[in-house]
Amino acid sequence: MSPSPRATFLWRFLPVAFVVIVGTQFHGDADGTLEKWVVAGALLLFTAMCVLFWLRTRMREMEQEARFQAIFDYAMVGIATISPEKTLLSVNPSLCRILGYKTEELMQKTWSELTHPDDAEMDIKKFDSVLRGESDGYAMEKRFIGKDGAVVFTAISARAIRQANGKVDFFVVIVEDISNWVLAETEWSSSVKMLQRFIDHLPGSAYVKTADSRILLANKGFQDQFGIKPEELLGRISTEAFPGEFGQKVFADDERILATGITEKIEDEWNGRVFESTKFIIPRDDGSADLGGITIDVTERRLTELKLAQQARCSAVLLELPKKAEELPEKAFMQYALERAEELTQSVIGFMHLVNDDGVTIELVAWSSSTLKNYCTAAFDSHYPISEAGIWADAARKKQPVIINDYASAENKHGLPPGHSALIRLLSIPVMAEGAVRMMTGVGNKAENYTDFDVETVQLIGSETWRIVCRQRSENALRLATQVVNASQVVCFRSRSTEGWPLVFISDNVRQWGYTPKQLIAGQPTVFDVIHPDDQPRVLEEAKRYAAEGVPRFAQEYRLVTAEGQVVWVLGRTIVRLDAEGKPEFYDGVLTDITERKAQQSLMDDALSQQKKLNKRLEEANNQLMQSEKMASIGQLAAGVAHELNNPIGFVHSNLGTLDGYVHDLIAIIAAYQTLFCTPGEANPHEDEIRRLLEQHDFAFLKEDIFSLLAESKDGLGRVRKIVQDLKNFSRVGEQEWQEADLHQGIDSTLNIVWNELKYKAKVIKEYGEIPHVFCLISQLNQVFMNLLVNAGHAIETQGSITIRTSRRGEDRICIEISDTGKGIAPEHINRIFEPFFTTKPVGKGTGLGLSLSYGIIKRHGGQIEVESVEGQGTTFRLLLPINQKQNTEPKVSETSS
């Protein structure tokens, strides 16, 4: 702390006093006068007294400073002195604790550095106003930034200490930490706001009242339900907020619940609305209690409950109508339904009119009993045009409900006939079917206005009445039609277009096949169990195809299996019924028994088939006869040629043998002469000439080549003899009897015969297996081999190969395969290649009988002929022949495959 002004003055005065005393003493000594010593002593005494006074004053100030420093250091609040330049002059420990700094750290900070940025501007304004002399101090709530960066909430009080000239010497600031109080206040405010938000989101109007029924808290629901802002209710009692009986009742209810402490649920009406309040006690800690309550607008719920009750009554009537329809005639039933509509709508007039099919005339069906008895005595016609009908017929003309709650003011009313009761209110409802009005149901003179629920009620009863009437009429018509159908042999049915085609109806005359309608509709047995198994796939496939093509009706012939297991043929004529999306929904059909017709047709078909078979046999026999004669002629010719060739071949072969001996002898003679004439050392005049002749005629080459020529000639004759023998073996003119034969020899003989057709473009590969001799007609099998080999050669256009494979199949059959790498057979032709006269070769290149005859020959041998072909890759014919055919050597004639 700086010294006080008084202490400063004394410290300044003492040196002056001392100089004066010393100077006076010195001056007295010089003059030697007593007066001067007296004056000096007085001055010294005065000086001593002044020093003593100063010491006492200083002691007092030091004591005060010590007390101030103790207060400064031990104060519970922060204290600081600040210079006008906002630097800290001193700080106490409490302020250091509040801001989290040590004393030396805090002294390095300025007042502005410690101030929160958001409060700096206001603090500077107040500080500067004191400096300008506008005030001696200020107080405010202010935030500081602590050492750890946390915000410290404080309340500060700053006071200026001024100098004698009025300028501010320094500021004394007291800082109180209010962070906990601010936090508590924030939490309390947040709790209040949360409570308010909570009750604002409660359904309806929520409130809290004090023990004297004054509103303490209210939510926004009051604004929505009663049009009163919540803040306008605070502090008011119910009679002030809601003047009149409603407010008084609410007040009385509040008093009762506060007195009893029992929670109650109370229902009240206000301004045409129904409100349900739940009121309860909220105890306080001091034993008193507040009143809590939630009020909900239940008007819509009450209306819904009322509507549900009315709908329940309407539903009961709708459930009762089918039963009444069974008990009452049509007109009485319609009158009963009309009276129920009259009761449900609390009307006193009711009527029903049917609209005729022409759409322009109507027929009165029924008045309600009360209408005829109490309200209407006017005469009326049963049939009359809609154009002449009253305003109620607008329902038919406009095809929509007509609601008139003030008949007297209706603009388009036609007036009422004499004897007709006065109309006050009117409700007329059309019943629509397939876009046209079929019936009108009307009620009138309800005590209150007709509502949408009345429209719905009359519409439901009218529509259900019309549906039941239509159903009854249809059932009556169906009953008559069923009687007619059951008297006939035609069975009618309806099935659903779903999996299994379940029946929904079938006429009673299905009993002729041993079934009952009940069994079939229950699926015992199913539709597909009744259809013959062999016909099921076809029937199903045709029906699916017709459905996919959108065919509206179709006919099918198929077999049914009766309950006794008998098979009957039926002709089914079916009509496809489509749903709203155009998809098949039902199949309606009739079944006609055509068993007798089918039997007659079967007899005719059998006769025709036998005729065709006979013709086929005759044709095949003729073809085989022609081919046999042709082959026989060729065989005879070949045998004759072979016989004629054998003679010259024999003597030429014999002569070549003799010539070979002669040539050997001549060569031996020439060799001997050559040796004789060409002996070295002996002179011979003809030697040179002989040598010249030998060299000129190339005797050495002739000697070697002549034997090669003879060998080739003998080999050629052998091959000619082999061909002649193969030709003779192939023809076998006289061999038409069954015998065991070597098929490999037959194939080789046939190859030699047809080799001229194959050698230029086909390489023949033989893959012979181990097969036994086969009991057969070898000449006919040779003919089959020839046909297949020639066809294989023709199928190869440039170069290819023909492979012949033989193998054994099981114990009793052998297999021969002839495969080529030719152009193959087109898929559309492969099923016709065995038909007589069918050929794909150009005109003049084939008769179409080769494969047909081959098929017949193989069948005659009890075998099979199979074909596999890939167009562009080649064909394989496979012959499967029994090894022993002795059991049946008679010719067999079979139908050619198609």
Side-chain angles (χ1 to χ4, degrees):
M1 297 292 292
S2 60
S4 65
R6 182 182 297 175
T8 302
F9 170 76
L10 290 175
W11 279 108
R12 291 176 182 175
F13 173 76
L14 283 176
V16 177
F18 178 76
V19 172
V20 171
I21 294 172
V22 173
T24 303
Q25 179 64 45
F26 177 76
H27 183 69
D29 290 339
D31 292 344
T33 62
L34 182 60
E35 293 82 3
K36 292 181 179 179
W37 280 101
V38 172
V39 173
L43 290 173
L44 183 60
L45 179 61
F46 176 76
T47 302
M49 292 176 67
C50 288
V51 171
L52 181 61
F53 176 78
W54 177 81
L55 289 174
R56 287 179 178 178
T57 303
R58 182 58 180 163
M59 290 295 292
R60 221 182 282 117
E61 288 180 352
M62 291 179 64
E63 184 179 352
Q64 290 177 352
E65 288 178 1
R67 290 176 181 175
F68 174 78
Q69 189 67 41
I71 294 171
F72 185 80
D73 290 338
Y74 294 103
M76 297 300 293
V77 296
I79 303 175
T81 58
I82 305 172
S83 71
E85 291 76 23
K86 300 183 179 62
T87 59
L88 295 172
L89 301 175
S90 61
V91 294
N92 72 340
S94 292
L95 183 59
C96 293
R97 175 181 52 78
I98 291 171
L99 298 182
Y101 289 98
K102 294 180 180 179
T103 303
E104 58 272 16
E105 292 175 341
L106 189 57
M107 291 299 292
Q108 300 299 319
K109 301 290 184 180
T110 65
W111 186 251
S112 298
E113 290 175 345
L114 297 171
T115 301
H116 191 282
D118 293 344
D119 295 342
E121 182 178 357
M122 179 60 67
D123 187 53
I124 291 172
K125 285 181 180 180
K126 291 180 178 294
F127 197 93
D128 291 343
S129 67
V130 175
L131 291 177
R132 291 192 299 267
E134 296 175 3
S135 64
D136 289 332
Y138 64 93
M140 65 180 289
E141 289 186 3
K142 177 181 174 181
R143 289 168 290 179
F144 288 96
I145 303 298
K147 181 180 179 180
D148 58 358
V151 176
V152 181
F153 293 88
T154 66
I156 68 170
S157 178
R159 188 73 179 176
I161 305 299
R162 297 184 183 275
Q163 299 175 1
N165 59 4
K167 291 185 178 181
V168 175
D169 188 13
F170 59 90
F171 285 83
V172 177
V173 182
I174 297 175
V175 180
E176 182 182 2
D177 187 355
I178 62 172
S179 296
N180 291 335
W181 179 85
V182 170
L183 180 61
E185 184 182 48
T186 302
E187 291 180 352
W188 178 83
S189 177
S190 177
S191 299
V192 171
K193 291 179 180 179
M194 182 179 294
L195 176 61
Q196 187 64 46
R197 288 198 303 272
F198 173 74
I199 67 171
D200 282 343
H201 286 81
L202 288 175
S205 303
Y207 52 88
V208 177
K209 295 182 180 180
T210 61
D212 58 354
S213 294
R214 295 194 176 274
I215 297 176
L216 181 64
L217 191 64
N219 72 345
K220 295 188 299 184
F222 280 94
Q223 178 73 36
D224 299 332
Q225 289 185 344
F226 302 104
I228 304 174
K229 294 180 179 180
E231 55 268 21
E232 296 176 357
L233 294 171
L234 300 181
R236 303 172 68 185
I237 61 176
S238 300
T239 53
E240 295 173 346
F242 300 97
E245 294 183 2
F246 179 71
Q248 293 174 1
K249 182 179 184 303
V250 171
F251 183 81
D253 292 338
D254 293 345
E255 291 294 319
R256 182 180 67 256
I257 294 170
L258 282 169
T260 62
I262 299 174
T263 300
E264 292 187 24
K265 185 174 287 187
I266 303 168
E267 191 171 287
D268 298 299
E269 290 188 14
W270 185 76
N271 282 354
R273 308 293 293 180
V274 180
F275 297 94
E276 183 180 82
S277 299
T278 301
K279 299 185 178 184
F280 47 88
I281 293 298
I282 305 175
R284 289 191 176 186
D285 294 337
D286 58 2
S288 61
D290 295 326
L291 177 70
I294 299 177
T295 300
I296 301 175
D297 188 340
V298 296
T299 305
E300 299 301 327
R301 189 179 75 189
R302 289 290 177 264
L303 292 175
T304 300
E305 290 174 352
L306 178 60
K307 187 175 181 179
L308 287 175
Q310 293 173 328
Q311 287 177 341
R313 293 196 298 272
C314 182
S315 298
V317 170
L318 293 175
L319 291 174
E320 189 181 12
L321 288 180
K323 299 177 183 178
K324 288 296 181 180
E326 300 294 332
E327 302 172 1
L328 301 173
E330 180 180 293
K331 188 171 183 178
F333 163 69
M334 296 180 74
Q335 186 177 35
Y336 173 84
L338 177 61
E339 290 172 354
R340 300 293 78 74
E342 189 179 69
E343 292 174 3
L344 290 174
T345 58
Q346 300 176 0
S347 302
V348 293
I349 296 175
F351 59 88
M352 275 188 179
H353 286 76
L354 292 178
V355 179
N356 296 323
D357 292 338
D358 57 14
V360 296
T361 59
I362 55 178
E363 175 187 356
L364 176 62
V365 179
W367 289 102
S368 67
S369 300
S370 63
T371 304
L372 292 174
K373 182 177 180 181
N374 302 317
Y375 291 94
C376 189
T377 59
F380 51 83
D381 296 326
S382 296
H383 297 267
Y384 52 94
I386 292 179
S387 59
E388 297 179 6
I391 193 173
W392 57 270
D394 283 347
R397 290 189 282 261
K398 297 179 180 180
K399 297 183 179 181
Q400 63 183 21
V402 173
I403 305 175
I404 300 173
N405 283 318
D406 186 3
Y407 182 81
S409 301
E411 296 180 356
N412 57 339
K413 62 180 181 295
H414 294 186
L416 301 172
H420 197 291
S421 61
L423 280 179
I424 302 172
R425 296 178 182 85
L426 176 67
L427 176 61
S428 182
I429 304 296
V431 175
M432 306 289 294
E434 298 179 354
V437 178
R438 297 300 182 184
M439 189 177 78
M440 288 180 292
T441 305
V443 292
N445 287 3
K446 181 181 178 180
E448 300 174 352
N449 287 343
Y450 285 106
T451 64
D452 291 340
F453 180 74
D454 295 326
V455 174
E456 181 182 348
T457 300
V458 176
Q459 198 162 35
L460 286 172
I461 293 178
S463 298
E464 181 66 8
T465 301
W466 171 253
R467 188 190 67 79
I468 292 174
V469 168
C470 289
R471 187 197 68 195
Q472 286 185 325
R473 291 180 178 181
S474 298
E475 288 176 352
N476 291 334
L478 178 61
R479 190 177 299 109
L480 293 174
T482 302
Q483 292 174 356
V484 174
V485 169
N486 290 337
S488 69
Q489 295 298 315
V490 177
V491 177
C492 301
F493 69 89
R494 165 171 280 194
S495 63
R496 292 191 181 276
S497 178
T498 56
E499 185 70 26
W501 297 353
L503 291 170
V504 296
F505 167 79
I506 190 165
S507 57
D508 191 68
N509 58 351
V510 74
R511 296 176 186 275
Q512 62 183 298
W513 295 328
Y515 302 109
T516 64
K518 185 176 180 181
Q519 287 177 320
L520 296 175
I521 292 174
Q524 300 172 351
T526 66
V527 170
F528 288 115
D529 291 335
V530 176
I531 298 176
H532 195 282
D534 294 344
D535 293 344
Q536 286 180 13
R538 174 177 59 84
V539 172
L540 182 60
E541 189 276 330
E542 288 177 353
K544 289 182 177 179
R545 187 176 75 249
Y546 292 143
E549 295 173 356
V551 177
R553 59 183 68 213
F554 55 88
Q556 295 173 294
E557 291 185 1
Y558 50 90
R559 289 166 290 179
L560 299 180
V561 180
T562 67
E564 291 77 19
Q566 296 178 349
V567 177
V568 295
W569 275 94
V570 295
L571 170 62
R573 292 184 175 89
T574 306
I575 298 176
V576 182
R577 303 296 183 187
L578 306 179
D579 59 14
E581 298 179 356
K583 297 179 180 179
E585 183 178 14
F586 296 108
Y587 292 124
D588 292 344
V590 293
L591 301 176
T592 304
D593 191 334
I594 58 171
T595 305
E596 185 176 350
R597 191 190 79 186
K598 274 290 185 180
Q600 295 176 353
Q601 183 178 347
S602 178
L603 292 175
M604 293 177 61
D605 290 343
D606 290 344
L608 181 60
S609 177
Q610 292 298 327
Q611 186 67 31
K612 288 182 178 180
K613 288 181 180 179
L614 181 59
N615 292 339
K616 192 72 175 179
R617 289 179 181 178
L618 290 174
E619 183 180 353
E620 289 181 353
N622 181 56
N623 291 334
Q624 290 184 1
L625 181 60
M626 290 174 60
Q627 188 71 10
S628 297
E629 290 296 331
K630 180 179 178 181
M631 294 302 296
S633 299
I634 294 174
Q636 289 177 352
L637 178 62
V641 171
H643 179 71
E644 293 299 326
L645 285 176
N646 271 335
N647 289 330
I649 288 173
F651 67 75
V652 169
H653 189 273
S654 176
N655 291 342
L656 283 175
T658 303
L659 179 62
D660 182 60
Y662 291 166
V663 170
H664 276 82
D665 292 342
L666 289 174
I667 293 301
I669 294 171
I670 292 172
Y673 271 100
Q674 183 180 10
T675 303
L676 179 64
F677 284 104
C678 298
T679 302
E682 295 183 4
N684 190 337
H686 302 289
E687 181 179 353
D688 292 337
E689 181 64 19
I690 292 171
R691 289 182 182 279
R692 185 182 66 78
L693 289 174
L694 290 174
E695 291 177 358
Q696 179 181 357
H697 296 287
D698 198 4
F699 177 73
F701 172 75
L702 290 176
K703 183 174 66 175
E704 296 294 332
D705 190 50
I706 193 169
F707 294 111
S708 296
L709 292 176
L710 286 173
E712 289 177 359
S713 298
K714 292 172 69 176
D715 181 66
L717 281 176
R719 289 171 61 186
V720 171
R721 175 176 289 179
K722 180 68 170 56
I723 291 172
V724 171
Q725 185 62 37
D726 288 339
L727 183 62
K728 186 175 181 180
N729 291 337
F730 176 78
S731 63
R732 298 283 181 96
V733 177
E735 296 180 6
Q736 292 297 330
E737 296 182 356
W738 293 78
Q739 58 184 338
E740 291 186 351
D742 184 354
L743 296 189
H744 286 165
Q745 181 181 356
I747 294 172
D748 291 340
S749 298
T750 306
L751 272 174
N752 283 332
I753 299 302
V754 300
W755 182 241
N756 190 59
E757 294 282 342
L758 308 178
K759 64 183 179 180
Y760 296 107
K761 56 181 177 179
K763 177 184 178 182
V764 177
I765 302 171
K766 297 180 182 179
E767 297 180 0
Y768 290 170
E770 294 292 334
I771 60 173
H773 288 192
V774 175
F775 191 73
C776 63
L777 294 173
I778 187 61
S779 61
Q780 292 191 5
L781 290 183
N782 286 343
Q783 183 180 350
V784 173
F785 301 151
M786 181 183 70
N787 289 338
L788 296 181
L789 289 169
V790 170
N791 284 348
H794 289 171
I796 299 173
E797 296 178 337
T798 55
Q799 289 293 324
S801 62
I802 299 174
T803 302
I804 305 172
R805 302 182 187 87
T806 60
S807 61
R808 185 161 182 165
R809 290 289 181 89
E811 296 295 328
D812 58 350
R813 292 198 303 176
I814 59 99
C815 174
I816 301 172
E817 291 184 351
I818 298 177
S819 302
D820 64 70
T821 59
K823 58 186 178 181
I825 303 172
E828 62 269 20
H829 296 153
I830 199 164
N831 290 330
R832 301 188 60 197
I833 58 175
F834 296 116
E835 293 181 6
F837 306 107
F838 176 80
T839 181
T840 58
K841 297 177 183 179
V843 177
K845 293 294 184 179
T847 63
L849 291 175
L851 289 179
S852 175
L853 291 174
S854 298
Y855 182 87
I857 291 171
I858 297 301
K859 286 294 182 182
R860 185 179 182 186
H861 281 75
Q864 297 176 349
I865 182 169
E866 300 173 353
V867 60
E868 295 177 1
S869 182
V870 178
E871 195 170 6
Q873 297 184 16
T875 304
T876 297
F877 282 89
R878 185 177 299 106
L879 307 178
L880 298 173
L881 293 169
I883 296 174
N884 191 350
Q885 186 68 0
K886 291 182 179 180
Q887 292 84 354
N888 187 4
T889 57
E890 293 299 321
K892 295 182 180 180
V893 180
S894 303
E895 290 185 13
T896 60
S897 67
S898 57

